[in-house]
Amino acid sequence: MGAIDRVTGDITVDLASFIPTNMIAAPSGTTHYKIISAGAEIDFEAETFVVANSETAILPWDAVATVAIAQINAVTPASTKPLFLALGVEFYQQVNGQMYSLKNGAFNPLALVQVSGL
């Protein structure tokens, strides 16, 4: 699912094909969603950071299998700082051809899914 490669600095997410309505518990009114990820390199002593993020297009929340999803978030190669991978889902409702984000934070989960410290 997720991997941190310290040598290359690539913080990746790889999701196999899935059926959205079976695998994603969405709030009422959801018609679409997107998968977001971020990789972060944090220097706590210097209070600096490098962040890279990726997101899919807005995808239909339906019973049709997705294609595999691969996201690469590149930070500094060979970093000696702690590295983090966050993964989240953002939900949308389509009304009259327009997409509206369901802004309630309770329904847009984001979590740290992997950490690499030295």
Side-chain angles (χ1 to χ4, degrees):
M1 192 219 13
I4 295 175
D5 186 330
R6 284 192 162 278
V7 174
T8 65
D10 289 342
I11 300 175
T12 60
V13 170
D14 290 299
L15 301 176
S17 176
F18 62 92
I19 296 175
T21 55
N22 290 349
M23 298 299 291
I24 299 174
S28 177
T30 296
T31 60
H32 291 76
Y33 70 98
K34 69 179 168 182
I35 304 291
I36 56 175
S37 67
E41 169 192 11
I42 301 178
D43 184 335
F44 290 101
E45 293 80 21
E47 298 181 1
T48 61
F49 59 90
V50 175
V51 175
N53 61 296
S54 302
E55 60 185 44
T56 63
I58 295 175
L59 304 170
W61 186 69
D62 58 17
V64 177
T66 67
V67 297
I69 295 171
Q71 297 178 341
I72 300 173
N73 303 294
V75 297
T76 308
S79 174
T80 59
K81 305 302 177 194
L83 303 178
F84 300 86
L85 170 59
L87 181 64
V89 181
E90 188 170 340
F91 296 104
Y92 294 85
Q93 183 176 65
Q94 184 174 19
V95 178
N96 296 326
Q98 296 293 317
M99 293 292 176
Y100 296 93
S101 180
L102 298 176
K103 295 279 188 192
N104 183 332
F107 298 120
N108 289 319
L110 180 72
L112 283 177
V113 295
Q114 195 162 5
V115 176
S116 174
L118 282 179

